[in-house]
Amino acid sequence: MAFDTQIQALTGTATDSEMDQWLTDGAKEIINILPPKLKAKCATATGVGTDSVVDLDGIGEILYVTRENADSGYYTPCREIPSMFAGRATDSSDLMFYATATDPVYWIDGDTSGAATLYVKPTPTTNQPAILHHIGYPTVDADSDSTIANFPDEAEYLVVLYAACKVLHNKMNE
């Protein structure tokens, strides 16, 4: 049964665009309060380009970052360093913050556009890529979806209840 049918069974009619928005908002809100074991079901991976920079706008909580340690090697977890020490990630005499292929680092900082940005060192290459593992926020279509991808099945009913509450709030305002 599609989500719109479930919502309207609880509340009466609402437009598809309203329900789409409220379902999407509800999924994001619920993901943000899930315990870690259930949040892991919402994980997705994004490749880090060869410029080693990822704009974090629209990306959920970072779970971890990995980088391939050699051409056709294995993925090594990157350790997070404070952004104020980013310059030291390329200083081979720095024992704490220097990044190597077997001990890569990442940090989060703003850039000139004001967006939060993730940086990885050593800079990923085509043969030694990096992967950002993070929470992915779904977009839900009320009239065609009956499940939410990358979302815990046991929490899907909460998204329907969230949207139903928003429908009722809207009806009260009318």
Side-chain angles (χ1 to χ4, degrees), residues 68-74 127-128:
E68 197 165 357
N69 71 342
D71 293 358
S72 300
Y74 56 88
N127 294 329
Q128 296 180 18

Side-chain angles (χ1 to χ4, degrees), residues 134-145:
H134 60 90
I135 299 298
Y137 294 119
T139 301
V140 187
D141 187 349
D143 62 347
S144 64
D145 292 344

Side-chain angles (χ1 to χ4, degrees), residues 46 48 52 54 62-69 74-82 89 96-108 118-125 128-133:
T46 300
V48 177
S52 83
V54 176
I62 296 171
L63 301 173
Y64 57 96
V65 179
T66 59
R67 184 188 181 282
E68 197 165 357
N69 71 342
Y74 56 88
Y75 281 85
T76 301
C78 298
R79 61 188 164 90
E80 184 175 10
I81 64 170
M96 286 186 62
F97 301 107
Y98 181 60
T100 65
T102 56
D103 185 23
V105 301
Y106 77 95
W107 67 90
I108 299 168
L118 177 127
Y119 299 87
V120 177
K121 290 292 180 195
T123 302
T125 65
Q128 296 180 18
I131 300 174
L132 168 62
H133 301 266

Side-chain angles (χ1 to χ4, degrees), residues 11-14 22 164-174:
T11 64
T13 60
W22 292 325
C165 287
K166 293 298 182 181
V167 171
L168 292 174
H169 286 164
N170 187 45
K171 288 183 179 296
M172 288 188 306
N173 287 336
E174 292 172 354

